[in-house]
Amino acid sequence: MRSMWGMLLGLCAATAQAAITDVTLDNGMRVIVKEDRRAPVMVSQVWYRAGSVDEVNGTTGVAHVLEHMMFKGTKSVPPGEFSKRIAAAGGKENAFTSRDYTAYFQQMQKDRLELSMRLEADRMANLQISDELFSKEIQVVMEERRMRTDDKPQSVLYERLMAAAFQSHPYGRPIIGWMNDLENMTAEDARDWYERWYAPNNATLVVAGDVDADAVIALAKRHFGTLPIRELPPRKPQQEPEQLGIKRMVVKAPAKVPYLLMAWHAPTLRDWQNDWEPYALQILAGVLDGNDSARLQKSLVKTQQIAASVGAGYDPVSRGPGMFMIDASPVEGKTVAELENAIRKELQKVQQEGISEAELKRVKAQVIAADVYQRDSLFFQAMQLGEYAKVGLPLEALEGRVDKLRSVTAEQVQAVARKWLHDDRLNLAELDPQPMSGQPQQAADAEVSHAH
């Protein structure tokens, strides 16, 4: 009988052999097709390399506002008609904005792909942003900000911590924008953003599902290939200066329970073949969090009973600098200071004693299993391809990710814990609960997405 580990390696090998076609049209638009014939459906996504990281002070949130306006009509498709036509064809559609990109997607029967492309190409070139529709939609966005951030204490804490953690890099600004910028935004701001970034040579089309790559590329040439190339603004590196000591902050907001968020500056994946630290940090996150046997959960929640909840997270795929994060809430009767001290002790154990080969093997299996099982989703397969393309990583990095995770050593996990999780890189925020009348909420999402 094969071990779980052996079965996972087999699954990974099978996944890696799936056919991927990657071409660039004459106008600079990239087309990535992943054939997956398990069901007669497809997902089509158009990604623009334009997110909140590209915004400037005074117009924060404009990337997300423009995402809303993309559903408000072209010369040939009236406002609201885009979604109606997709729904009439039996499809689902939506969009999302992140720090690094904005993406639009449809999930439909495979024979409806041309409809999807025709509509996307039309709004890539012919969007109409009227002052009247903009003035209505900006109110919707401001209400969204109130609901998603201002009324959620953990979201407020996250937003304030990011603003403090990044002194110069635009990752310090919220994706949804500061309220004052939204209050003063104009239709012209949205039109400028559209004219600046919404061009075929700043876009990637990803299609995954029961499709023929040659037919997809032919359709893409017909609908997108005729759109004119546009000169894109130069992008500045905007490197974050090195942090020179711990940053602590207290956020007072209406809430039922205290909350602790710890964030350390960390590297992200650049040279995927030679960088090993991002892969080791992923395994470290799995050592600390991931299931009931992970260290933070086992020690703080089960054994010591000091934390009501605790989690760790790290994302290696990003256009900008990374963060390794731990968040937790204390049980009633325990303080945030006691919780912080308990977390520090668990980190020190990894830094001083390292991890055993048995623990490493178990955590690798869990991390890789999570990655492999996510790929059962067509949508997630397309998401990974689009994300890697838009942050500038080769698709080989996606295919080689499992091998890289598998090659991480126990010594490397200990090394990244020592190097990156120390106080000179730490930003720490404590939520000090104030009297409230509403309900407790969860933390902010990494992306802003919604139904239209």
Side-chain angles (χ1 to χ4, degrees):
M1 184 177 174
R2 295 174 69 188
S3 67
M4 179 185 180
W5 189 241
M7 290 171 64
L8 286 173
L9 299 190
L11 275 168
C12 296
T15 305
Q17 289 165 7
I20 295 178
T21 304
D22 183 1
V23 301
T24 300
L25 306 184
D26 291 343
N27 62 0
M29 185 165 179
R30 189 173 177 183
V31 182
I32 301 171
V33 185
K34 183 161 188 179
E35 298 180 13
D36 185 326
R37 307 201 179 275
R38 289 176 294 178
V41 294
M42 68 86 199
V43 57
S44 177
Q45 302 172 344
V46 174
W47 296 69
Y48 295 91
R49 197 171 198 251
S52 64
V53 71
D54 301 293
E55 296 168 352
V56 297
N57 286 341
T59 54
T60 63
V62 69
H64 172 240
V65 170
L66 197 276
E67 178 216 307
H68 277 243
M69 297 309 298
M70 282 284 277
F71 293 84
K72 299 304 174 186
T74 66
K75 296 168 187 171
S76 57
V77 179
E81 189 67 23
F82 185 104
S83 300
K84 288 179 184 175
R85 292 185 187 182
I86 296 296
K92 296 188 296 183
E93 50 78 50
N94 212 322
F96 53 87
T97 304
S98 84
R99 299 186 301 188
D100 296 328
Y101 42 75
T102 309
Y104 303 83
F105 64 87
Q106 296 82 42
Q107 292 172 284
M108 309 173 75
Q109 294 292 111
K110 62 179 182 178
D111 59 349
R112 301 304 175 95
L113 178 57
E114 183 165 18
L115 170 65
S116 167
M117 284 203 199
R118 186 170 71 245
L119 289 169
E120 285 290 9
D122 179 41
R123 65 178 175 180
M124 181 184 286
N126 303 309
L127 186 67
Q128 293 187 320
I129 303 176
S130 72
D131 291 353
E132 180 186 5
L133 285 175
F134 178 87
S135 65
K136 291 178 181 177
E137 200 61 28
I138 196 68
Q139 297 298 322
V140 173
V141 176
M142 285 192 282
E143 180 58 25
E144 185 180 343
R145 187 196 147 84
R146 280 187 282 268
M147 290 175 61
R148 293 177 63 93
T149 302
D150 297 340
D151 293 342
K152 295 187 177 182
Q154 292 185 10
S155 297
V156 172
L157 184 87
Y158 174 84
E159 182 177 272
R160 298 302 175 95
L161 182 61
M162 289 300 102
F166 291 105
Q167 290 185 199
S168 68
H169 197 275
Y171 277 4
R173 300 192 292 251
I175 296 168
I176 201 162
W178 297 113
M179 185 62 88
N180 186 247
D181 286 349
L182 297 176
E183 289 168 345
N184 290 286
M185 197 170 287
T186 66
E188 192 59 34
D189 292 325
R191 286 190 282 263
D192 286 347
W193 184 263
Y194 178 73
E195 291 297 325
R196 185 177 300 133
W197 298 118
Y198 278 57
N201 47 309
N202 195 42
T204 298
L205 170 68
V206 180
V207 178
D210 187 7
V211 295
D212 176 76
D214 291 340
V216 171
I217 291 162
L219 279 175
K221 286 179 177 176
R222 184 188 314 163
H223 292 289
F224 292 103
T226 57
L227 302 182
I229 198 166
R230 190 177 299 154
E231 186 177 351
L232 300 171
R235 301 185 197 254
K236 302 293 180 74
Q238 302 190 92
Q239 291 187 351
E240 175 70 15
E242 187 173 356
Q243 189 170 320
L244 302 177
I246 189 170
K247 294 181 186 176
R248 286 182 173 272
M249 66 189 310
V250 175
V251 173
K252 293 186 175 183
K256 284 190 174 179
V257 293
Y259 178 65
L260 173 67
L261 185 58
M262 304 170 77
W264 293 263
H265 288 285
T268 48
L269 203 54
R270 292 293 175 260
D271 179 355
W272 78 273
Q273 288 177 311
N274 295 310
D275 288 351
W276 59 268
E277 289 184 321
Y279 300 107
L281 284 163
Q282 280 184 272
I283 300 297
L284 175 60
V287 168
L288 297 173
D289 179 31
N291 59 28
D292 288 347
S293 61
R295 291 194 177 203
L296 293 179
Q297 178 77 13
K298 191 174 179 180
S299 176
L300 274 60
V301 177
K302 290 185 170 179
T303 305
Q304 299 183 53
Q305 297 183 347
I306 191 171
S309 64
V310 62
Y314 165 74
D315 185 359
V317 180
S318 164
R319 282 171 58 190
M323 280 283 188
F324 191 101
M325 306 185 78
I326 293 177
D327 71 318
S329 290
V331 297
E332 193 172 354
K334 298 291 184 179
T335 66
V336 168
E338 289 172 308
L339 183 58
E340 179 193 341
N341 189 49
I343 291 171
R344 286 180 176 277
K345 285 181 178 176
E346 290 303 315
L347 296 180
Q348 286 165 7
K349 285 180 187 175
V350 178
Q351 292 165 335
Q352 293 168 9
E353 303 166 18
I355 63 171
S356 69
E357 287 299 325
E359 184 178 15
L360 176 67
K361 189 172 182 179
R362 190 190 76 240
V363 170
K364 277 185 184 179
Q366 290 160 358
V367 171
I368 293 171
D371 188 275
V372 171
Y373 295 147
Q374 278 181 310
R375 296 190 201 185
D376 282 344
S377 159
L378 254 190
F379 186 79
F380 186 77
Q381 288 182 53
M383 279 286 297
Q384 285 188 316
L385 291 165
E387 183 177 39
Y388 269 61
K390 287 297 105 179
V391 303
L393 288 168
L395 300 187
E396 293 85 356
L398 180 56
E399 293 303 317
R401 179 162 67 178
V402 167
D403 285 338
K404 290 293 186 181
L405 289 169
R406 201 170 65 227
S407 68
V408 171
T409 67
E411 290 76 20
Q412 288 176 327
V413 175
Q414 184 179 14
V416 293
R418 283 177 170 174
K419 179 177 178 180
W420 297 103
L421 303 192
H422 65 76
D423 277 6
D424 286 351
R425 300 183 184 277
L426 174 60
N427 301 269
L428 186 148
E430 171 191 345
L431 176 63
D432 181 3
Q434 305 297 300
M436 63 176 292
S437 56
Q439 297 295 317
Q441 306 285 357
Q442 70 270 9
D445 295 330
E447 295 171 344
V448 174
S449 62
H450 38 75
H452 292 273

